[in-house]
Amino acid sequence: MKYLSLILLYTSLSLAQFNPGAKQISLANSDVALSNDVFALFNNPAGLSQLNWREVGIYYSPAPFGLTELANGYIAFNEPFSFGSLSVGGMTYGFEIYRESKITAAYAYNYQNKFFVGASINFHTVSIQNYGNDNAFYLNIGGLAYLTNDFRFGFSFHNINRASFGNEDDQIPVILNSGISYDLLTTLTLNAAIEKDIKQKASFMFGVDYDLIEYFSLRTGFSNEPSRFSAGIGINYSLISLDYAMFTHSDLGVTHQVGLIISFGRDGSRKEVIRNHLEIK
């Protein structure tokens, strides 16, 4: 009975609730127009072309809603080239009774340091003990534009081909997300987004990212569908960024997650290096 209940919980919880990484979750996933680290691979691949350095990231959530059976982890790698950025990553979610895995590859292009586009292909598998397994390919696309030096617009469209598992429609969420990001100060960024799963109500998301001091960031955010409050911190030193995030669920309690990003060849804070690379004054 316990395992049956867990399987029902798995199928009722959209994987959209587990978008990585820790920084993104601390901002309530409102960062579609920010997307300035390697985990943009899963959220808005267009943002990868803002990075002119190699980057690898690892994210882990050990017990969402207090259940170790819901543990999920991601890994991502991005490599910039003169013709654009190439990225690859993977995800695992679940335990021996029910497990989902995904491999993702993406390409992103920077046009005149103002407009960014990206696309990713995903190979997603699901396995349920005693019921077998299935897999699907689906496509994500994303875009990002600097409307001014400090103001950005971004969007993403997940599963545009409406792939699904088995004979049931919409087993893999089809999600549209669009939003804005504004650098109120060089150390303070405001993010807002609206996300729409075609099977769910639209969700408004808002997040604040504040670099308190050179090596320490504070973040917070909220969303309304479901009602969720999030917060987190980032420790940024040399080529390493260590992030922690938590979010609350009105019925299921608090969830914790951590992320580690290693940036090879980045000299300075993430925001400063990106602005310099894009020649933003």
Side-chain angles (χ1 to χ4, degrees):
M1 181 61 70
K2 174 186 176 183
Y3 289 148
L4 177 60
S5 298
L6 283 169
I7 290 175
L8 291 174
L9 180 60
Y10 273 108
T11 56
S12 65
L13 286 174
S14 165
L15 273 178
Q17 297 189 53
F18 299 128
N19 276 344
K23 180 179 77 173
Q24 285 79 356
I25 289 174
S26 65
L27 298 173
N29 294 111
S30 63
D31 66 315
V32 65
L34 185 63
S35 298
N36 64 354
D37 68 30
V38 69
F39 289 113
L41 168 65
F42 301 103
N43 304 318
N44 180 3
L48 295 166
S49 53
Q50 296 183 93
L51 312 181
N52 67 333
W53 63 87
R54 179 181 300 136
E55 193 160 271
V56 61
I58 300 172
Y59 161 87
Y60 184 58
S61 182
F65 314 121
L67 298 171
T68 57
E69 292 87 354
L70 294 176
N72 59 98
Y74 290 75
I75 187 169
F77 173 78
N78 183 63
E79 181 74 28
F81 295 94
S82 59
F83 56 84
S85 294
L86 297 177
S87 186
V88 65
M91 175 274 290
T92 181
Y93 163 61
F95 68 130
E96 66 272 13
I97 303 297
Y98 181 103
R99 183 167 298 280
E100 293 191 34
S101 300
K102 179 169 66 175
I103 298 174
T104 300
Y107 170 74
Y109 181 72
N110 171 353
Y111 179 70
Q112 295 186 345
N113 290 342
K114 292 289 186 181
F115 305 99
F116 309 84
V117 294
S120 66
I121 184 168
N122 304 268
F123 177 65
H124 198 148
T125 67
V126 59
S127 176
I128 304 175
Q129 193 174 86
N130 300 327
Y131 288 88
N133 57 74
D134 200 2
N135 57 72
F137 282 98
Y138 58 93
L139 301 173
N140 302 339
I141 60 172
L144 192 153
Y146 278 72
L147 304 181
T148 71
N149 287 345
D150 300 314
F151 186 68
R152 296 168 293 275
F153 170 78
F155 75 90
S156 65
F157 190 168
H158 289 221
N159 191 13
I160 63 175
N161 56 316
R162 298 195 65 171
S164 189
F165 296 125
N167 298 319
E168 298 292 329
D169 293 335
D170 302 324
Q171 291 295 305
I172 300 173
V174 178
I175 300 172
L176 293 86
N177 192 354
S178 63
I180 56 175
S181 179
Y182 178 59
D183 295 330
L184 185 62
L185 303 170
T186 57
T187 57
L188 178 64
T189 301
L190 308 180
N191 304 280
I194 297 177
E195 181 179 273
K196 181 67 173 75
D197 183 323
I198 63 170
K199 294 178 64 179
Q200 308 292 337
K201 295 179 180 179
S203 176
F204 173 75
M205 303 170 290
F206 180 80
V208 179
D209 187 1
Y210 178 46
D211 296 331
L212 181 63
I213 57 175
E214 182 179 1
Y215 303 119
F216 189 75
S217 301
L218 295 175
R219 302 163 184 138
T220 188
F222 68 85
S223 64
N224 68 337
E225 288 290 344
S227 178
R228 191 173 77 175
F229 170 78
S230 60
I233 61 172
I235 299 172
N236 314 292
Y237 182 73
S238 185
L239 73 168
I240 294 176
S241 299
L242 180 63
D243 298 305
Y244 163 79
M246 57 78 67
F247 70 84
T248 64
H249 189 284
S250 57
D251 299 316
L252 300 175
V254 178
T255 295
H256 305 272
Q257 43 270 307
V258 294
L260 174 67
I261 294 176
I262 302 176
S263 306
F264 300 93
R266 176 170 62 86
D267 184 15
S269 75
R270 181 175 300 275
K271 293 177 183 177
E272 290 176 351
V273 174
I274 288 176
R275 292 179 74 90
N276 291 335
H277 168 56
L278 301 181
E279 300 178 345
I280 296 173
K281 304 301 181 181

